[in-house]
């Protein structure tokens, strides 16, 4: 495995111009207790939450935010049993390779992918690392990378290190808020995990903030309620700051915060309803 580089030492991303459009992608599902998504929510009620990703398309080139599960882990029985042996948890990946298929249907070429960025390292977000070439870095926060490497029991922390430790994968580490390209900025929304980040995308007609799991549901944003699942001693308080930051952005004119796992959120629903 190559040693991760810092953003300061990395080449600029192969993106030109500005973000022109977003392509929402639904790449799987998972049943999640409401209390995991919403602090104070029910631990009895389960939601069938979409696992999502977004392609950010520039004048030239595109970037991928998150990437769902690696379908091989779900399709192969031995891998599935070894990977997802959690109480009350089942990953769902619809037929085909939803990420690869939807990217192709959007008319995007993997050769034009400049980078993939993950909001955080949970296994329902790291699956796109398998598709990256050596010149297509995976961007994550340095604090997340440290967490991945320091955690005692990776599986119980919902981390599949094998997704991130691949020959030829180049990892680039960000340190807090970072301008990635004109119109694309990573912002610190830690708490759900130690290095959780969200992405601010300035489109021609509006600004979209891809919240990741700092706001699984739109309800987190409108009610300003933090996520239910946090990591570490200061996780809950950081997650509370993160949701305040996202709610404040959402209140600005022309800004929309997109919750990563909300089954009712329009862009994800449109993807689901357009497919058979
Ligand atoms: Zn997630």
């Amino acid at each position: 495995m190559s040693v991760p580089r810092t953003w300061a030492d990395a080449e600029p991303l192969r993106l030109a111009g500005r973000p022109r459009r977003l392509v929402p992608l639904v790449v799987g599902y998972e049943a999640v207790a409401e209390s995991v998504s919403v602090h104070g929510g029910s631990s009895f009620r389960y939601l069938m939450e979409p696992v999502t990703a977004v392609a950010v398309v520039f004048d030239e080139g595109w970037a991928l935010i998150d990437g769902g599960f690696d379908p091989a882990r779900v399709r192969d029985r031995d891998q599935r049993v070894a990977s997802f042996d959690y109480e009350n948890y089942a990953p769902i990946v619809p037929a085909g390779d939803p990420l690869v298929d939807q990217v192709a249907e959007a008319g995007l070429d993997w050769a034009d992918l400049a980078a993939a960025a993950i909001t955080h390292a949970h296994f329902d977000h790291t699956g796109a690392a398998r598709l990256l070439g050596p010149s297509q870095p995976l961007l994550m926060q340095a604090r997340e990378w440290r967490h991945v490497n320091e955690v005692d029991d990776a599986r119980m922390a919902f981390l599949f290190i094998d997704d991130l430790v691949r020959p030829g994968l180049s990892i680039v580490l960000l340190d807090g808020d970072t301008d990635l390209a004109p119109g694309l900025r990573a912002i610190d929304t830690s708490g759900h995990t130690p290095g959780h980040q969200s992405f601010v995308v300035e489109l021609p007609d509006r600004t979209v903030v891809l919240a990741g799991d700092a706001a699984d549901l739109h309800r987190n944003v409108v009610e300003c309620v933090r996520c239910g699942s946090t990591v570490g001693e200061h996780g809950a308080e950081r997650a509370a700051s993160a949701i305040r930051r996202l709610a404040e952005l959402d209140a600005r004119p022309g800004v929309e915060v997109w919750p990563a796992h909300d089954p009712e959120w329009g862009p994800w629903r449109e993807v689901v309803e357009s497919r058979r």
Side-chain angles (χ1 to χ4, degrees):
M1 185 197 68
S2 53
V3 176
R5 284 169 300 159
T6 63
W7 175 252
D9 292 337
E11 315 283 314
L13 301 184
R14 293 178 299 108
L15 294 166
R18 296 187 62 86
R20 293 297 164 192
R21 65 189 173 102
L22 296 181
V23 180
L25 307 160
V26 173
V27 296
Y29 298 89
E30 54 193 344
V32 174
E34 186 188 64
S35 57
V36 170
S37 289
V38 181
H39 175 59
S42 166
S43 57
F44 187 89
R45 178 185 295 134
Y46 274 73
L47 308 174
M48 182 58 84
E49 298 192 352
V51 172
T52 65
V54 174
V56 182
V57 184
F58 281 66
D59 291 295
E60 287 176 39
W62 60 286
L64 180 66
I65 310 296
D66 285 334
F69 306 106
D70 179 345
R73 286 186 184 282
V74 176
R75 299 266 151 74
D76 180 85
R77 185 177 186 279
D78 290 342
Q79 277 204 67
R80 182 173 67 245
V81 170
S83 300
F84 299 106
D85 180 20
Y86 303 98
E87 186 182 342
N88 289 337
Y89 186 77
I92 293 167
V93 176
D97 187 322
L99 176 58
V100 170
D101 296 347
Q102 288 168 47
V103 162
E105 286 164 28
L108 299 172
D109 190 333
W110 286 98
D112 300 328
L113 177 69
I118 51 174
T119 54
H120 63 301
H122 282 164
F123 57 63
D124 55 331
H125 297 260
T126 52
R130 70 197 150 102
L131 299 165
L132 302 176
S135 65
Q136 295 167 316
L138 183 77
L139 310 179
M140 62 194 291
Q141 287 285 325
R143 269 181 293 140
E144 192 74 355
W145 179 247
R146 276 201 296 279
H147 168 60
V148 166
N149 285 280
E150 287 172 4
V151 77
D152 288 334
D153 184 344
R155 209 183 61 83
M156 287 320 293
F158 312 112
L159 304 167
F160 293 163
I161 292 172
D162 290 354
D163 276 6
L164 303 172
V165 179
R166 291 171 179 269
L169 177 66
S170 121
I171 292 182
V172 170
L173 302 178
L174 313 178
D175 184 14
D177 291 7
T178 306
D179 288 316
L180 301 175
L184 177 61
R185 179 173 173 80
I187 61 167
D188 174 6
T189 48
S190 54
H192 177 64
T193 60
H196 190 283
Q197 58 185 338
S198 304
F199 297 92
V200 180
V201 187
E202 291 171 18
L203 295 166
D205 59 336
R206 63 199 164 134
T207 292
V208 168
V209 181
L210 303 169
D213 293 10
D216 277 359
L217 307 179
H218 186 50
R219 186 179 148 195
N220 293 97
V221 180
V222 289
E223 296 176 11
C224 199
V225 181
R226 70 163 171 86
C227 55
S229 166
T230 62
V231 174
E233 197 189 343
H234 301 291
E237 137 202 348
R238 289 198 181 116
S241 307
I243 197 66
R244 281 197 296 273
R245 186 174 199 188
L246 292 169
E248 188 271 322
L249 284 167
D250 194 59
R252 293 185 192 173
V255 180
E256 297 170 7
V257 173
W258 287 20
H261 289 288
D262 193 330
E264 300 304 322
W265 186 246
W268 317 139
R269 281 187 62 154
E270 283 165 28
V271 174
V272 173
E273 282 162 17
S274 72
R275 305 187 71 77
R276 282 289 171 267

